[in-house]
Amino acid sequence: MSDSSDDLLWSRYDFSKIPFEDIVSLGQRTLLYRDLFNVSWLLGRYCNYKCSYCWPYARSDERDHRPLDVLMATMDKIKFQARNNGFNSFHFSFSGGEPTVHPGFLDLLEYYSQDPISPSYQSTHMTTNLSRHLGWFEKYVEATKKLHRVSITASWHREMANKVDFRDKILFLLENDIHVTINMVMVPEMFEDYYEEALFFHDSGINVTLKPQSDPSASRVVDGYTREQLAKLHNGMPQRNFTQHKMEQNKRRSNRPKMPDHFKLPKIEIEGDGPIAQNMQVELVDSNGKIWYMDQAERFNAFNFNQFKGWHCRAGFQGIVIREPGGEVKRSYSCHDSPLGTIDKGFNIFSEPMPCVTPSCVSSVDSKIPKTKAKYASERENKK
Ligand code: SF4
């Protein structure tokens, strides 16, 4: 891609300047500024790939999917409880295993997008190995066309997938108004090889998320990164609006439903930003009230910023996770709290934010949920 240059490779906003020790609240901006309820739904462990490095608990050869009607009824129950708490916008994010091999997945997305109670806004995301053929993705585009925003995290598995085929499917998705980022865990011993692959995709106009490898407790980045490598993890390949760029290149306009004006997020100007704007999904506030930004919560772990025990967290109130096998409903993945229930026996979403009881908040699904240090949460409550 001709625009790909150093201008696009590095963030103009230096994330390493954020005073992480002094941050007192944070959250994904869509969750801070909208009445948005977030659901992360692990549909099953079945995966059609068998990568040598995959954790045994993360995948299965058995098709362990729940029937479509159970999924639809669960979706209704979630929305009902969330609406009772004042949320009427939704983000449903699906993962697995491999979510696209669930036989009812596309029907579930159609059902989601046809909510008769008129939600203010709806978006969806999935984490996929992108193994389905292009015809399947054409159906995916069709099933999600009534949603306000659609995004994908594409996991690159070099043992199983073909680089050119993988890239071409992503370019097709970008042209069809779907946001994509490629997930790459940058193992220190393989860093340079992975970085070469990341450059191949980035040079094609595709976002790549460079993730650090964490220690077995998942609380700290492993040793072994050089200073240059850490710099890439801290400020390299910032998320940019490649989708809009690709659509403009192809003279295509978005046909998604228009967002009400009050739903538009406050604009962020980044000095000297490159030709394709950086996306800043996360907002952080320090003890002086100064606002800081980060492109995505995936970068928190690169700064070992993942300890929020005692903070007031909206996980369980403004978002839940559902996990198979067992259909467990939880605050979020890392949380040590008792589950909120199960799909089979029922579940109860919290009616207010609750303190965090967990030493490390390691998944970006968890860390992006709005949270405030206890002292500052009480000050805000007292001011009300
Ligand atoms: S571990 Fe759970 S409760 Fe604690 S900050 Fe993370 S999401 Fe919130």
Side-chain angles (χ1 to χ4, degrees), residues 306-316 331-337 350 354-363 365-371:
N306 50 27
Q307 281 154 35
F308 307 114
K309 194 169 178 179
W311 290 39
H312 286 212
C313 178
R314 290 181 156 244
R331 291 186 81 173
S332 212
Y333 290 115
S334 310
C335 314
H336 289 188
D337 312 62
F350 292 157
M354 297 290 278
C356 171
V357 298
T358 307
S360 297
C361 182
V362 285
S363 158
V365 172
D366 312 340
S367 50
K368 74 179 184 187
I369 303 290
K371 43 186 98 357

Side-chain angles (χ1 to χ4, degrees), residues 158-326:
R158 50 158 58 184
E159 288 177 359
M160 309 294 292
N162 173 284
K163 206 160 70 170
V164 172
D165 183 53
F166 193 79
R167 177 200 63 190
D168 290 348
K169 283 181 194 164
I170 295 176
L171 294 179
F172 166 80
L173 290 163
L174 297 182
E175 281 163 21
N176 282 282
D177 206 2
I178 292 177
H179 301 262
V180 184
T181 189
I182 299 175
N183 223 3
M184 279 201 193
V185 179
M186 306 298 285
V187 181
E189 310 80 66
M190 300 282 290
F191 197 99
E192 300 315 323
D193 288 352
Y194 284 141
Y195 195 71
E196 273 302 306
E197 284 175 340
L199 277 178
F200 168 80
F201 294 121
H202 192 268
D203 284 351
S204 306
I206 298 169
N207 278 315
V208 183
T209 299
L210 305 175
K211 291 177 74 165
Q213 187 185 12
S214 294
D215 68 4
S217 72
S219 53
R220 289 199 71 76
V221 170
V222 294
D223 294 331
Y225 288 111
T226 64
R227 275 176 61 162
E228 289 74 27
Q229 290 170 350
L230 277 176
K232 284 173 179 153
L233 295 175
H234 288 164
N235 276 316
M237 298 196 184
Q239 300 293 297
R240 297 187 180 276
N241 201 341
F242 284 122
T243 309
Q244 192 181 335
H245 180 73
K246 181 60 67 190
M247 290 182 66
E248 281 168 6
Q249 271 186 337
N250 292 331
K251 302 200 170 22
R252 296 184 73 162
R253 297 180 62 153
S254 175
N255 289 321
R256 297 202 176 281
K258 292 277 166 282
M259 247 183 277
D261 275 351
H262 69 274
F263 252 66
K264 297 198 175 133
L265 300 174
K267 219 171 159 52
I268 303 168
E269 298 292 347
I270 302 168
E271 212 177 307
D273 202 2
I276 303 170
Q278 270 188 239
N279 290 335
M280 294 291 202
Q281 292 177 358
V282 179
E283 207 167 288
L284 309 96
V285 183
D286 68 20
S287 63
N288 294 314
K290 181 172 163 62
I291 298 178
W292 301 81
Y293 300 103
M294 190 169 268
D295 56 347
Q296 52 176 353
E298 275 76 2
R299 218 181 274 275
F300 284 2
N301 282 334
F303 293 97
N304 292 316
F305 180 56
N306 50 27
Q307 281 154 35
F308 307 114
K309 194 169 178 179
W311 290 39
H312 286 212
C313 178
R314 290 181 156 244
F317 169 64
Q318 194 174 1
I320 54 168
V321 301
I322 307 177
R323 216 167 48 167
E324 301 292 356

Side-chain angles (χ1 to χ4, degrees), residues 134-147:
L134 195 59
W136 188 91
F137 286 101
E138 283 167 0
K139 288 186 193 154
Y140 178 79
V141 167
E142 190 60 25
T144 56
K145 68 180 182 198
K146 292 195 185 125
L147 298 171

Side-chain angles (χ1 to χ4, degrees), residues 55 59 70 73 86 89 106 149 197 213 294 296 365 375:
W55 301 110
R59 72 167 302 287
V70 176
S89 303
L106 292 175
R149 191 174 194 273
E197 284 175 340
Q213 187 185 12
M294 190 169 268
Q296 52 176 353
V365 172
K375 178 180 159 212

